[in-house]
């Protein structure tokens, strides 16, 4: 039987991604002034309305309305005809301070009397986090999600640089890849790309332009053939979009944010959360570990699960699955991880430099696979190779 896998991405103008962008912009503004800010900022949008809510404890004083309007403007919502406009959108704020109960566990972990500074900070919540890497692409990401991201990012680029001036900010795409029995990519089976546009363009011309200037520019020709199927704006018109077409919410695109469904997911969202929230920081660390394991040659594919209890610094468990591709057993690799990587929250924050305002760029086109992020470095390869 043929084996297929499909992953989806969306543009920064998708309503959920608008919310992610605003949440991370608020987080970065706070961290730029007070690196110890505790932030859980979420947003919801609908037609020309934005609700900013959550819990923030920080020494920083920022103008949330101005930050939100800038984020919306940068995405491209600057005209009332879009039903969502940076200059006229109504903004309501509902911000509280972080729960004192949560702060107690984060500030004084159960191991805080050990004398080790990294034992002082407990996990900001209980939960399970997953990381993943594979050798399908240069970025050590699954091919379907990586190509879907590149396609949607190109769609945004040709809108912003004026190549296709009739495009509007909302859009989404997906790529289906056929695999062989050894889980190696063989070819691209199908491509779907839907983009918002103004009323001036015909569906026929849009399909020709998007194929030429977006799809053909980013999809590797060696994986395309005469049987590859293309679906460009399959319903025809897509004029109404963004928050005017659908409501949006921070953290609702967690599969787009990670591995496109190729890896398990613990359920926690990322955007708007400061790094004491292990939903975010431990998931980044898990990716960093998996990427270094694959880059070192210890495995061709690697998934790890890490679990935490609120107020406890050290993880409760670490599980490894190399899907039969490991040079050592999964148990041996798990032991290596515990020797080579410090999974306590404060150690993760320190290693990946997560108290810096680095999060806004993660809000679109994936939190993984971008070489500019600290958790994408492969600087532990030599340390891991010594084990085999």
């Amino acid at each position: 039987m043929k084996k297929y896998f499909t992953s989806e991405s969306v543009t920064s103008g998708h309503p959920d991604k608008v919310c992610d962008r605003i949440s991370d912009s608020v987080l970065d503004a706070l961290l730029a002034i007070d690196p110890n800010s505790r932030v859980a900022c979420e947003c919801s949008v609908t037609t020309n309305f934005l609700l900013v809510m959550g819990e923030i404890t920080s020494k920083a004083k920022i103008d949330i309305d101005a930050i939100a309007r800038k984020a919306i403007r940068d995405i491209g919502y600057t005209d009332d005809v879009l039903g969502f406009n940076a200059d006229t959108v109504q903004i309501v704020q509902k911000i509280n301070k972080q729960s004192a109960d949560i702060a107690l566990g984060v500030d004084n972990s159960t191991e805080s009397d050990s004398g080790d500074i990294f034992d002082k900070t407990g996990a900001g919540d209980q939960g399970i986090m997953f990381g993943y890497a594979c050798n399908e692409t240069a970025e050590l990401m699954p091919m379907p999600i990586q190509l879907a991201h590149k396609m949607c990012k190109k769609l945004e680029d040709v809108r912003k640089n004026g190549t296709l001036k009739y495009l509007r900010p909302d859009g989404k795409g997906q790529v289906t890849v056929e695999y062989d029995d050894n889980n190696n990519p063989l070819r691209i089976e199908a491509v779907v790309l839907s983009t918002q546009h103004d009323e001036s363009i015909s569906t026929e011309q849009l399909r020709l332009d998007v194929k030429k200037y977006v799809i053909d520019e980013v999809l590797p020709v060696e994986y395309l053939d005469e049987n590859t199927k293309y679906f460009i704006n399959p319903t025809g018109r897509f004029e109404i979009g963004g928050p005017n077409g659908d409501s949006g919410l921070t953290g609702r695109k967690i599969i787009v944010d990670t591995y496109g469904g190729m890896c398990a997911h613990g359920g926690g969202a990322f955007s708007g959360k400061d790094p004491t929230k292990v939903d975010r920081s431990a998931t980044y660390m898990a990716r960093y570990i998996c990427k270094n394991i694959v880059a070192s040659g210890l495995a061709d594919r690697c998934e790890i699960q890490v679990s935490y209890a609120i107020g406890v610094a050290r993880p409760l468990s670490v599980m490894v699955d190399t899907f039969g591709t490991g040079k050592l057993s999964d148990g041996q690799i798990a032991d290596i991880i515990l020797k080579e990587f410090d999974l306590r929250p404060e150690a993760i924050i320190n290693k990946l430099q997560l108290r810096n305002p680095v999060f806004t760029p993660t809000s679109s086109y994936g939190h993984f696979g971008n070489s500019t992020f600290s958790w994408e470095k492969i600087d532990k390869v030599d340390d891991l190779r010594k084990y085999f």
Side-chain angles (χ1 to χ4, degrees):
M1 289 183 61
K2 293 183 177 181
K3 296 166 57 177
Y4 300 104
F5 197 90
T6 303
S7 293
E8 176 197 41
S9 184
V10 298
T11 67
S12 67
H14 186 282
D16 294 331
K17 282 293 154 194
V18 171
C19 294
D20 287 347
R21 175 70 168 265
I22 296 167
S23 294
D24 275 333
S25 296
V26 170
L27 171 63
D28 277 351
L30 291 162
L31 292 176
I33 300 170
D34 178 7
N36 294 308
S37 296
R38 299 286 171 79
V39 185
C41 177
E42 299 185 56
C43 299
S44 182
V45 293
T46 187
T47 302
N48 226 31
F49 176 84
L50 164 65
L51 171 63
V52 184
M53 56 189 168
E55 298 79 45
I56 296 175
T57 300
S58 177
K59 297 176 182 177
K61 304 298 180 184
I62 62 171
D63 187 339
I64 290 179
D65 278 24
I67 291 166
R69 292 186 193 280
K70 182 181 184 304
I72 296 167
R73 188 174 297 108
D74 289 345
I75 292 169
Y77 287 110
T78 56
D79 191 332
D80 281 335
V81 74
L82 300 176
F84 195 72
N85 185 346
D87 297 315
T88 61
V89 61
Q90 179 189 0
I91 301 177
V92 173
Q93 294 185 36
K94 293 292 183 182
I95 305 292
N96 298 307
K97 291 186 179 298
Q98 183 186 64
S99 160
D101 294 340
I102 294 175
L104 180 66
V106 174
D107 294 336
N108 296 283
S109 80
T110 57
E111 307 105 308
S112 60
D113 59 355
S114 71
D116 188 328
I117 189 172
F118 290 158
D119 276 342
K120 180 176 174 55
T121 303
D125 201 353
Q126 72 174 52
I128 54 175
M129 297 83 206
F130 288 89
Y132 185 79
C134 61
N135 60 7
E136 293 179 20
T137 63
E139 299 87 357
L140 303 185
M141 286 285 288
M143 182 176 285
I145 188 63
Q146 198 67 9
L147 293 181
H149 284 326
K150 289 181 178 180
M151 191 169 64
C152 288
K153 178 63 167 62
K154 187 66 173 180
L155 184 64
E156 178 167 354
D157 290 343
V158 299
R159 169 175 64 87
K160 288 187 171 181
N161 67 24
T163 300
L164 301 180
K165 296 181 180 180
Y166 57 80
L167 296 182
R168 291 175 174 176
D170 198 0
K172 58 171 56 178
Q174 62 187 44
V175 176
T176 301
V177 174
E178 181 181 345
Y179 289 82
D180 66 19
D181 290 337
N182 295 316
N183 294 305
N184 298 308
L186 287 177
R187 54 182 292 276
I188 295 173
E189 166 69 12
V191 180
V192 183
L193 190 57
S194 296
T195 178
Q196 189 186 12
H197 57 86
D198 66 31
E199 68 283 353
S200 68
I201 191 70
S202 69
T203 300
E204 292 72 22
Q205 187 61 52
L206 180 145
R207 286 172 174 165
L208 289 171
D209 289 346
V210 168
K211 176 69 163 53
K212 177 180 179 180
Y213 293 106
V214 179
I215 294 172
D216 290 347
E217 287 291 316
V218 298
L219 296 188
V221 65
E222 63 269 25
Y223 287 96
L224 302 171
D225 58 36
E226 67 276 7
N227 295 316
T228 300
K229 304 173 185 67
Y230 299 93
F231 302 90
I232 302 170
N233 278 34
T235 61
R237 309 303 290 173
F238 182 6
E239 294 178 33
I240 301 170
N244 190 38
D246 289 293
S247 61
L249 188 66
T250 297
R252 197 155 55 183
K253 282 291 177 282
I254 58 176
I255 300 303
V256 172
D257 286 342
T258 52
Y259 306 99
M262 189 72 78
C263 169
H265 199 297
F270 305 147
S271 289
K273 294 180 180 178
D274 76 81
T276 66
K277 278 75 171 175
V278 285
D279 275 344
R280 183 168 217 165
S281 54
T283 303
Y284 287 1
M285 189 65 173
R287 162 63 178 172
Y288 171 70
I289 294 169
C290 288
K291 188 173 184 183
N292 276 271
I293 286 172
V294 172
S296 73
L298 271 175
D300 295 334
R301 296 170 63 199
C302 183
E303 176 183 281
I304 72 169
Q305 183 206 62
V306 185
S307 69
Y308 290 88
I310 188 169
V312 181
R314 298 178 186 276
L316 304 184
S317 67
V318 176
M319 182 280 297
V320 173
D321 188 351
T322 60
F323 308 92
T325 69
K327 303 301 186 292
L328 302 173
S329 72
D330 291 346
Q332 287 174 308
I333 294 176
D335 290 339
I336 292 169
I337 288 171
L338 292 172
K339 291 177 183 176
E340 295 291 339
F341 299 92
D342 195 332
L343 289 164
R344 293 172 293 177
E346 192 63 36
I348 293 172
I349 292 168
N350 181 69
K351 171 65 179 176
L352 302 181
Q353 301 178 329
L354 297 181
R355 294 202 194 278
N356 295 317
V358 297
F359 298 106
T360 301
T362 69
S363 61
S364 297
Y365 312 114
H367 292 245
F368 310 120
N370 184 331
S371 62
T372 65
F373 300 152
S374 62
W375 48 95
E376 291 294 314
K377 292 180 180 178
I378 48 174
D379 54 4
K380 291 285 287 182
V381 168
D382 289 342
D383 293 332
L384 294 174
R385 282 178 177 161
K386 68 187 180 187
Y387 290 96
F388 70 103

